[in-house]
Amino acid sequence: LNTITCSAAVSACEKGCEWAKALELLVQMPALRVQPNTVTCSAAISACGKGGEWAKALAVLHDMGARHVEMNTITYNAA
């Protein structure tokens, strides 16, 4: 596994309205020695938003800052 494949999986969860699975994968990534990036986190934020889980979306946004993951326009639009 790498960041690209995990980002694709989180993005697929987002498109399939599976916010919980997207968050589960995001949380498991460090244990798999895969670091989330801007794309991964933005997809997770979007998945939470589509699922009406705004508090969880904002928590991911907050965690991005703590993990020093770069935020961009897509990230902020997803939140």
Side-chain angles (χ1 to χ4, degrees), residues 48 52-61:
C48 291
E53 298 292 331
W54 292 105
K56 293 186 185 323
L58 292 175
V60 174
L61 185 67

Side-chain angles (χ1 to χ4, degrees), residues 32-79:
L32 299 169
R33 296 194 171 131
V34 178
Q35 293 304 312
N37 65 10
T38 304
V39 173
T40 314
C41 293
S42 296
I45 290 168
S46 183
C48 291
K50 287 180 179 180
E53 298 292 331
W54 292 105
K56 293 186 185 323
L58 292 175
V60 174
L61 185 67
H62 180 268
D63 288 346
M64 287 179 74
R67 293 181 185 185
H68 304 289
V69 176
E70 182 180 346
M71 298 175 203
N72 63 18
T73 305
I74 295 168
T75 307
Y76 291 118
N77 284 339

